[in-house]
Amino acid sequence: MGSGLTGSKKKDAYKMPPHNASNEQMKWQKYCIDNNIRISPYGINNEPGKWKIAIALGPYKRGEKIYYAPNVYDKYSIWPEYYKMCKYYYDKHTRRV
């Protein structure tokens, strides 16, 4: 049994939902990008509207270890969780004890 989606509706079901990041979220994301902390939504094959979050640390290396957050996110939770992870790494590396 198929998903009942056809043509562009099927493609649309796999698109990331829109999100306007706050200044704080952009700061966390920029920190991660500048420091080779690569965090990215990762679509789940054959599950439209479902994502995991992939994390790779350090400069890109062929065959590198990619970590995946254990949860599956939908269009309502993907962006808040993505930015929560960016904030985690931002806080972890910028907090002074």
Side-chain angles (χ1 to χ4, degrees):
M1 301 231 175
S3 66
L5 300 173
T6 58
S8 69
K9 282 186 180 182
K10 188 172 186 177
K11 276 186 180 179
D12 288 346
Y14 284 94
K15 288 183 181 177
M16 291 293 298
H19 177 76
N20 292 319
S22 70
N23 288 338
E24 282 288 297
Q25 289 172 329
M26 289 189 296
K27 177 176 78 173
W28 304 330
Q29 182 183 43
K30 182 178 181 334
Y31 177 85
C32 290
I33 292 167
D34 291 347
N35 290 280
N36 286 315
I37 300 167
R38 291 169 284 126
I39 303 171
S40 178
Y42 184 84
I44 300 173
N45 196 25
N46 294 322
E47 291 192 41
K50 301 290 181 190
W51 294 270
K52 284 192 165 265
I53 296 178
I55 303 164
L57 305 173
Y60 173 77
K61 293 178 189 162
R62 186 180 180 118
E64 72 185 337
K65 176 72 174 162
I66 297 175
Y67 302 92
Y68 296 94
N71 297 332
V72 174
Y73 305 101
D74 63 15
K75 68 180 182 177
Y76 302 106
S77 61
I78 186 62
W79 287 122
E81 291 300 320
Y82 166 82
Y83 285 107
K84 193 182 290 183
M85 288 187 190
C86 290
K87 182 180 186 319
Y88 167 80
Y89 284 100
Y90 175 85
D91 287 346
K92 179 177 178 180
H93 294 281
T94 62
R95 277 199 182 138
R96 303 291 179 237
V97 185

